[in-house]
Amino acid sequence: MERPGVVTARSVDVAVLAAAALGGLLFAPVFGLAPLLVPIGAVVLVTFGVTELGRRKPRLLPWRPVLALVAGLLAIVETVLPGTTVAGIPTRESVAVLAEGAVNGWQLTLQSTWPARAEPLLLAFVPLAVLLAAVLGIEIAHRFGRPLLALAPGLLVLVLSQAYVAVTGFAAIATGLGYAAIAGLALAGGTGWPRLLKLIVPAVVLGIVGALALTAADPLAKPAYSLKDDESLPLTEDAVVSPLSEVAYRSKNPEPQVFRYTGDTPASRRWPLAVLDGFDGSNWFPGGGFRRMGAEIAPGPGIEVPATRRQAAVEVTGTSGPWLPGQSSPASVTGIDAIVDEARGTLVAGRPVPSIRYTLAWWEPEVGADALLGAGMAHGLQGGLGGLATVPPAIDELADRVLPELRPSFQTAVALERHLAENYRLATGDDLPTGHGWPQLSRFLLEDKRGTSEQFASAYVVLARLKGIPARLVVGYRAPERAGPEGAHVVRNADILAWPEVAVDKVGWIPLDPAGAAKQSGTGSASGIAAAVAEVRTQLPPARTLQNPQLPPGESEEDEPADRPGWAAIAIVTAIGIAGLLVLWGAGVPAVTGFRAWRRRRQGGRAGVIAAWAEARDRLRAHGVPVTAGMTVRDLAVSATVFGHQASTVDGLGALARTVDAALWSGAAPDVADEAWASVAIVRKGLERRPWRTRLRAAVNGRVLFPPRGG
């Protein structure tokens, strides 16, 4: 039943539902806006309909929350889970999927790339949260008559959405203004607009100014925290087995087919299988951060140049383990339940199936040889400068001899590739070396100087990291130059390959070929990045004349590569902080004093008269009138004569003094609170005649936030 005396306007209902809906729609960066509009809209409409039904039929009021929940659940089933219904009627499967989505959907979404696929199991928890917030908010508004408190459930949905991905910049400003408008709509149901504006305008101004300041200057560019940072999908034990150990075996058994593909692949000369950037001195292993493949992934980390979207249909027949042929910067995978490491591009099958067919789309960066020749390294990309355990001293000395006094750059990276290609040879035949730990690398680099692509790639990454070049090891397959009779490229065991990749500024990860093994499968000409790298090799000066490329303007040899905010950034942050404090002070003091006056005005009887006296006293304190704790109203009237305007300020205080006397000392204790506040209005009119600068200083005078000192 409704609490007696509580009357809730429709504007409050609309505000409560709007707050819940807006919080749910802020999950748009996670799922996209289109999949959320229909289910959230349906939940809001049915909840509003049930609320209106209760307003027209009071006998249904005790059942309103139950009816709203049932109607909302039906709306979610019909809009999110239509495939589980029979002729529109929910089934046991509908209930099971809805329950699973409510319990685990939030975590499954965190374990997916974003935007996530709008699957019922993932999507259902958002409209469910909106439904709970809407029903709870309506009940708070109708049963307790607290419009602002009724908005709290919707704000909790907002907090949840921001914990997934926080809106920034002008989107944050728009969100803040939206919630300010919703709060105003809720308050309008119980108070007048003039008083309402005095309550919310300072907060809105403060929010806009603060958001604009942070949007205009973010020198540190720190990403917002997300729950996604702490969630990843653990792989099964067999997925952690490194395919690097299969290089020698597959090379000795060249004929079996591994996979075949058709599609737009003129620039793709290699198919990565696994990226290995961790090294403990004995084995190379992949990094973490695996997630379920969502709807689409933007170009990979570090790619700031234009990128072309390419696509191929792949059929896997002979690979071992869950690793799938992919590309360094995947865009989407359809046809299978795939798992991806966004930072490395590694693809893994979500579950074992006899035959794997999928369509892979990926991003191919576009860059020319001129840009690469003078490019620096992208030290911030994940996995490029991992640990090397205990480096043998002889290998450390070798790195210094190969690249003496050369700073990290793409030119230096190609020079290291050339050194290995010219001074070491690729092993062939049946007696192929195996292993990639320090003992095997020491033998390869310092003694035999003969190895497979496994040793070449491992040795390159070790030497590159010792010289500050971010590098990682990749295992995969080279692509055949020519398609078969049916138009498909067939990849066999003989095409297995290990190679290094280096992180290049604004381009991302670029593959190199120190073993010269990537071109063993054909004689076709290279294209895309492969062609640009080949041209850089031809332009590279001889080793004895190799020099550091010219630094961009504004940089020097002494500049440290670490990202540290300079003095300009510190000054900007300091200025923003000071400006923020000033804005907070300028808007916060009037907001607090206005709210306090509103709270005082709501009191009645003797307490209301005392509150009116406190309000008049604080108004004069703000304008510089000396006030002590023991001062009476008449004492204050004497002090206020310095202002003049006796027909307003002083007369108002005199009328207030008579009202206070009547309330405190009259035996009948009449209710004269309205008369006291009428006297306060007279005092305020007198103060409004003062110069605007004086009134501005009084509005931000923080002393009135504290009680007067004892006198």
Side-chain angles (χ1 to χ4, degrees):
M1 295 290 293
E2 303 286 336
R3 198 181 79 177
V6 174
V7 179
T8 304
R10 285 187 177 87
S11 61
V12 178
D13 297 340
V14 173
V16 169
L17 297 176
L22 182 54
L25 292 176
L26 288 176
F27 280 93
V30 179
F31 292 102
L33 184 60
L36 295 170
L37 284 175
V38 174
I40 291 178
V43 165
V44 169
L45 287 176
V46 298
T47 306
F48 182 76
V50 171
T51 305
E52 284 295 296
L53 183 63
R55 181 175 277 115
R56 287 174 169 78
K57 297 184 178 297
R59 289 179 299 176
L60 296 177
L61 288 178
W63 300 97
R64 181 177 55 204
V66 176
L67 293 175
L69 285 174
V70 172
L73 290 174
L74 289 174
I76 295 173
V77 170
E78 297 299 330
T79 55
V80 179
L81 310 171
T84 65
T85 62
V86 176
I89 300 175
T91 63
R92 180 180 298 179
E93 182 184 358
S94 304
V95 177
V97 175
L98 197 61
E100 179 70 12
V103 175
N104 297 320
W106 66 273
Q107 186 176 29
L108 295 175
T109 301
L110 292 173
Q111 294 175 345
S112 171
T113 62
W114 294 345
R117 295 175 180 174
E119 299 174 353
L121 198 60
L122 276 65
L123 183 64
F125 82 96
V126 177
L128 281 172
V130 173
L131 174 62
L132 291 176
V135 173
L136 184 58
I138 290 293
E139 293 306 308
I140 292 174
H142 282 252
R143 296 183 184 274
F144 301 102
R146 299 292 183 87
L148 288 181
L149 183 61
L151 300 180
L155 288 175
L156 290 178
V157 180
L158 165 71
V159 171
L160 179 62
S161 69
Q162 298 310 286
Y164 274 67
V165 54
V167 293
T168 58
F170 290 100
I173 297 175
T175 301
L177 290 176
Y179 270 99
I182 289 171
L185 186 63
L187 289 173
T191 185
W193 281 104
R195 183 179 298 172
L196 173 65
L197 292 176
K198 292 181 180 180
L199 289 174
I200 67 172
V201 166
V204 172
V205 172
L206 175 62
I208 294 175
V209 173
L212 284 173
L214 293 176
T215 301
D218 183 15
L220 301 182
K222 295 294 184 182
Y225 169 77
S226 170
L227 290 174
K228 189 177 182 182
D229 299 337
D230 301 324
E231 284 285 340
S232 61
L233 190 64
L235 297 182
T236 56
E237 191 65 28
D238 60 342
V240 183
V241 177
S242 171
L244 186 62
S245 58
E246 297 183 346
V247 172
Y249 168 77
R250 290 184 180 269
S251 298
K252 293 178 182 179
N253 299 274
E255 290 303 320
Q257 176 179 315
V258 181
F259 67 96
R260 50 187 289 159
Y261 67 91
T262 57
D264 180 22
T265 58
S268 175
R269 299 296 303 275
R270 310 176 199 191
W271 285 84
L273 202 62
V275 174
L276 311 173
D277 51 28
F279 184 56
D280 60 7
S282 299
N283 295 294
W284 293 87
F285 47 88
F290 286 92
R291 304 186 186 279
R292 290 181 176 86
M293 192 73 174
E296 182 86 5
I297 300 179
I303 299 180
E304 300 179 19
V305 298
T308 301
R309 198 176 194 271
R310 301 191 180 278
Q311 183 172 298
V314 183
E315 179 183 1
V316 180
T317 56
T319 189
S320 62
W323 307 103
L324 297 177
Q327 293 295 329
S328 295
S329 182
S332 66
V333 177
T334 56
I336 62 167
D337 181 18
I339 297 172
V340 64
D341 182 345
E342 293 177 86
R344 300 167 179 84
T346 303
L347 291 179
V348 175
R351 57 180 182 271
V353 291
S355 179
I356 299 178
R357 293 183 176 88
Y358 58 95
T359 299
L360 170 68
W362 69 92
W363 301 104
E364 185 81 18
E366 300 176 2
V367 65
D370 293 339
L372 284 180
L373 191 60
M377 310 310 297
H379 294 87
L381 292 187
Q382 188 174 354
L385 293 172
L388 297 174
T390 304
V391 182
I395 293 182
D396 203 353
E397 294 172 2
L398 176 63
D400 289 334
R401 291 198 303 270
V402 174
L403 301 173
E405 299 181 359
L406 292 176
R407 68 169 181 271
S409 67
F410 185 68
Q411 179 178 284
T412 308
V414 176
L416 177 59
E417 176 198 52
R418 181 177 63 184
H419 174 83
L420 290 177
E422 292 178 350
N423 294 279
Y424 297 80
R425 58 193 177 93
L426 186 65
T428 58
D430 295 332
D431 183 21
L432 297 179
T434 59
H436 41 261
W438 281 127
Q440 293 84 5
L441 293 180
S442 296
R443 186 180 306 111
F444 169 70
L445 287 171
L446 305 173
E447 300 175 14
D448 297 345
K449 298 187 177 183
R450 171 183 174 271
T452 66
S453 62
E454 175 184 359
Q455 287 81 43
F456 270 90
S458 302
Y460 181 95
V461 174
V462 165
L463 295 175
R465 290 183 177 181
L466 287 174
K467 299 304 294 182
I469 300 172
R472 65 186 188 183
L473 192 152
V474 184
V475 184
Y477 296 89
R478 52 182 166 244
E481 295 288 348
R482 299 179 180 85
E486 299 179 357
H489 292 77
V490 178
V491 178
R492 304 184 182 277
N493 273 355
D495 297 314
I496 194 167
L497 180 67
W499 66 88
E501 291 183 347
V502 294
V504 180
D505 187 31
K506 299 182 180 180
V507 183
W509 293 99
I510 291 185
L512 296 176
D513 186 20
K519 52 190 177 185
Q520 296 293 316
S521 62
T523 58
S525 59
S527 59
I529 282 186
V533 173
E535 188 173 347
V536 170
R537 293 188 184 106
T538 62
Q539 298 180 19
L540 193 67
R544 62 180 181 276
T545 62
L546 193 63
Q547 297 180 353
N548 284 317
Q550 185 176 358
L551 286 170
E555 295 187 14
S556 64
E557 294 284 355
E558 290 76 17
D559 288 341
E560 297 184 10
D563 293 332
R564 297 182 179 178
W567 287 108
I570 295 174
I572 292 175
V573 171
T574 303
I576 291 175
I578 295 174
L581 289 175
L582 292 176
V583 171
L584 182 61
W585 185 270
V589 172
V592 173
T593 54
F595 178 74
R596 184 176 63 186
W598 174 74
R599 288 290 301 272
R600 287 171 171 171
R601 186 67 181 85
R602 289 171 61 89
Q603 300 183 49
R606 182 175 297 177
V609 174
I610 300 301
W613 152 235
E615 181 65 19
R617 177 196 65 194
D618 290 337
R619 293 279 180 175
L620 291 171
R621 287 174 61 205
H623 282 265
V625 176
V627 176
T628 61
M631 183 176 286
T632 66
V633 184
R634 288 181 173 82
D635 294 335
L636 184 60
V638 174
S639 299
T641 56
V642 296
F643 291 153
H645 313 300
Q646 295 185 8
S648 55
T649 304
V650 178
D651 288 350
L653 288 172
L656 180 60
R658 292 188 293 272
T659 305
V660 171
D661 290 341
L664 295 182
W665 310 115
S666 173
D671 188 358
V672 289
D674 290 339
E675 295 179 17
W677 281 101
S679 300
V680 173
I682 296 174
V683 172
R684 292 176 56 187
K685 288 181 179 179
L687 295 177
E688 288 173 357
R689 298 176 184 176
R690 306 200 71 201
W692 69 269
R693 292 185 179 87
T694 304
R695 287 185 281 116
L696 179 61
R697 287 196 298 269
V700 296
N701 190 340
R703 294 181 180 178
V704 297
L705 301 179
F706 305 96
R709 296 179 180 179

